[in-house]
Amino acid sequence: MITPKFSCSQTDESLVTSIYCPSVRAADVELDVDDAVLTVHINPYFLRLSFPYPVVEDDNSSAQYDPSSGYLTVTLSKSVKGQYFPDLDLLAKLLSPRPSRPHARPSIEVLDSRQPLADAITDISKRTDALSLDDEFAQAAKNEWQLSQAISDPASEFRTSSQRYYGFLDAFTGYFTHAAHTENEINELGDDAEVCNAEERRTRRIAHENEKWDEEHYMADYAEDEYIQELINWHDPDLTSTAEVVITEDEKMAMLRLPRKEYIMDSFQEHSLYLTLITLMYAHAYDKRTTLNDPTAESAWTVCNLVAAFSALDPPPYSPTDFSGITLDFTDAELISTLVTSYRRSLAFPLYRSFQLAERCRKDVAAAFRRGKRLVTKYLLGLKDILDHHDVYYVYSKIWVEDFCIWIQAGARSGFPMKVFEPD
């Protein structure tokens, strides 16, 4: 089935969906409305939209097909008149599947027990009696009651496969199997990208950053910074404008081409994704400012070098994290370590190396997040477009940016962590 081009608009009382499906018969249109879900099927097109609030099909609803333009216009009434439906221009959010509903009861149910209850209790009692710590206590008594203790070796973790996973939610592997035969200049792990564990990746990344630090280059940019000052003083129209962020037609088409996915993650994974998003937005801000919003042939190289999750497959957090009770309340250590990594890379790899420029990029990220999810979505789609058009670095769009474009619309929470984004 083909997902057709569509757009949604609203009035106080109704929701209007325009679907482009040329050269079809109006009599073949099948419409179904189920609470907040609209399903449209007209061969060879199929469209299922999940709205934020319920709609109903009543006497005021209608479906009209215009053969001359090829548009099918479906008008549905809102269940609550005057209710505002947000994010109708974030098409990936409308196309995403509805979240799975939790089971009302345990998913495993005992239908029959072959062992009588009395026998089971007797068996458990016998096994409990057989468990004895007498030998261990006797040994401890001889040693002034000091029980033996040992710290588990992280390197001795039990693994059933030689594969290492990376990318969005650690869902990818095998993309760098033949890294030696590609022209991937930013891969800091070389042929070992598929076998390095997280600790080795971080160690190699830090060593590579230290190696690439060039004092002479930095001091030269510090002494002669006329052009860098022009870049710092440039005003980004997307960040200075007070108008509502508008999703362009090209961006809507890019959203339609995204796969339909639903993500299952724990709180630590979600926590890490927000920190990784900071590094992506920082790389975008640096490239946008240094190219004056006109990406060049070097933009893909610049972005990939600035994001440690790309070049070293090493995403945040970069500081010790308490795995218990993870929330979206980020600690100062987490935020500082995430930004320090971006700063280090912006002072070691790209053409313009200036701490003032790095600070300006952080403020750009602050302004972008304050403007909300739409602008962040536009920036992610821009990053995806830059990487997709590169012969080698498109792989980072596949394992990272594409899923971020989907998640930020349909899965990310409305409010972003603003603590890191204070401009001063």
Side-chain angles (χ1 to χ4, degrees):
M1 291 293 179
I2 300 173
T3 300
K5 178 182 176 182
F6 72 96
S7 62
C8 296
S9 59
Q10 62 182 316
T11 64
D12 289 340
E13 298 184 351
S14 61
L15 183 69
V16 181
T17 303
S18 298
I19 307 170
Y20 183 63
C21 45
S23 305
V24 298
R25 295 177 56 189
D28 295 337
V29 176
E30 299 178 9
L31 296 175
D32 180 70
V33 180
D34 180 14
D35 194 38
V37 178
L38 167 65
T39 304
V40 180
H41 176 227
I42 178 170
N43 194 40
Y45 301 101
F46 179 82
L47 182 66
R48 181 175 56 240
L49 303 178
S50 299
F51 300 116
Y53 302 111
V55 292
V56 294
E57 190 176 8
D58 57 14
D59 293 340
N60 296 322
S61 302
S62 64
Q64 298 179 344
Y65 181 68
D66 183 1
S68 61
S69 64
Y71 274 92
L72 171 67
T73 303
V74 180
T75 303
L76 299 172
S77 298
K78 296 180 178 179
S79 294
V80 179
K81 306 301 182 184
Q83 189 174 43
Y84 177 73
F85 283 37
D87 300 334
L88 291 180
D89 55 350
L90 298 183
L91 305 189
K93 183 175 183 178
L94 298 177
L95 291 169
S96 63
R98 284 185 290 183
S100 301
R101 297 178 180 176
H103 293 285
R105 58 181 181 177
S107 56
I108 298 178
E109 181 180 358
V110 178
L111 299 178
D112 184 25
S113 177
R114 298 179 179 274
Q115 186 177 19
L117 180 59
D119 294 345
I121 295 176
T122 302
D123 183 52
I124 293 174
S125 299
K126 289 180 179 179
R127 294 187 182 186
T128 304
D129 293 338
L131 297 175
S132 175
L133 296 176
D134 292 343
D135 294 340
E136 188 173 355
F137 283 146
Q139 184 66 28
K142 294 179 182 180
N143 194 27
E144 298 181 356
W145 293 102
Q146 298 185 44
L147 297 174
S148 60
Q149 304 177 91
I151 299 176
S152 59
D153 182 9
S156 62
E157 61 181 358
F158 180 74
R159 298 177 61 243
T160 59
S161 172
S162 61
Q163 292 179 321
R164 298 287 184 177
Y165 290 86
Y166 42 76
F168 194 90
L169 296 181
D170 287 332
F172 300 89
T173 188
Y175 280 79
F176 301 96
T177 303
H178 304 290
H181 304 290
T182 65
E183 297 180 1
N184 191 336
E185 298 177 356
I186 62 98
N187 175 20
E188 299 174 13
L189 305 178
D191 296 340
D192 298 330
E194 292 292 335
V195 297
C196 284
N197 59 29
E199 183 179 356
E200 292 171 342
R201 294 171 187 168
R202 185 152 303 176
T203 300
R204 292 196 185 190
R205 172 183 66 79
I206 295 174
H208 187 65
E209 290 171 357
N210 293 336
E211 178 185 352
K212 294 297 291 183
W213 165 251
D214 188 340
E215 295 180 357
E216 294 183 0
H217 191 139
Y218 179 80
M219 291 307 299
D221 282 352
Y222 180 80
E224 300 181 5
D225 66 342
E226 291 83 1
Y227 185 67
I228 292 179
Q229 289 300 323
E230 292 182 16
L231 299 178
I232 293 173
N233 294 326
W234 176 71
H235 295 287
D236 186 343
D238 289 332
L239 304 180
T240 56
S241 174
T242 58
E244 183 179 358
V245 177
V246 178
I247 304 297
T248 66
E249 287 300 319
D250 289 341
E251 290 165 344
K252 290 181 179 179
M253 291 303 298
M255 291 180 188
L256 286 176
R257 289 191 290 266
L258 293 172
R260 317 288 180 254
K261 290 186 179 181
E262 180 182 355
Y263 299 103
I264 301 175
M265 64 187 74
D266 57 33
S267 55
F268 174 77
Q269 290 174 316
E270 183 183 18
H271 193 87
S272 178
L273 286 180
Y274 281 109
L275 293 175
T276 306
L277 181 62
I278 295 174
T279 65
L280 266 63
M281 291 295 97
Y282 184 93
H284 178 274
Y286 181 95
D287 182 72
K288 187 175 185 180
R289 184 162 290 277
T290 54
T291 62
L292 303 179
N293 199 23
D294 186 16
T296 67
E298 298 296 323
S299 290
W301 181 91
T302 301
V303 167
C304 290
N305 263 307
L306 293 180
V307 181
F310 293 0
S311 57
L313 304 179
D314 181 27
Y318 298 125
S319 62
T321 302
D322 183 7
F323 289 85
S324 61
I326 292 290
T327 66
L328 288 185
D329 295 328
F330 298 89
T331 65
D332 290 340
E334 288 175 323
L335 300 176
I336 291 173
S337 63
T338 300
L339 287 171
V340 164
T341 300
S342 294
Y343 276 45
R344 280 169 57 91
R345 300 187 73 83
S346 67
L347 298 177
F349 294 101
L351 177 60
Y352 305 111
R353 306 178 188 181
S354 165
F355 187 82
Q356 285 184 311
L357 179 60
E359 280 284 279
R360 184 61 182 177
C361 292
R362 178 181 66 85
K363 294 180 181 181
D364 287 347
V365 177
F369 273 82
R370 280 196 297 271
R371 295 218 63 193
K373 185 182 293 188
R374 277 185 180 77
L375 188 59
V376 175
T377 300
K378 287 173 69 74
Y379 283 2
L380 287 172
L381 291 172
L383 280 178
K384 185 178 184 301
D385 185 65
I386 290 173
L387 297 176
D388 284 346
H389 288 85
H390 196 278
D391 294 340
V392 178
Y393 303 144
Y394 71 90
V395 66
Y396 299 107
S397 172
K398 182 63 178 177
I399 67 175
W400 275 113
V401 182
E402 182 177 87
D403 286 283
F404 262 108
C405 290
I406 302 169
W407 173 73
I408 201 66
Q409 298 179 67
R413 305 190 188 187
S414 298
F416 295 101
M418 298 303 299
K419 189 175 182 181
V420 66
F421 305 123
E422 294 301 326
D424 298 317

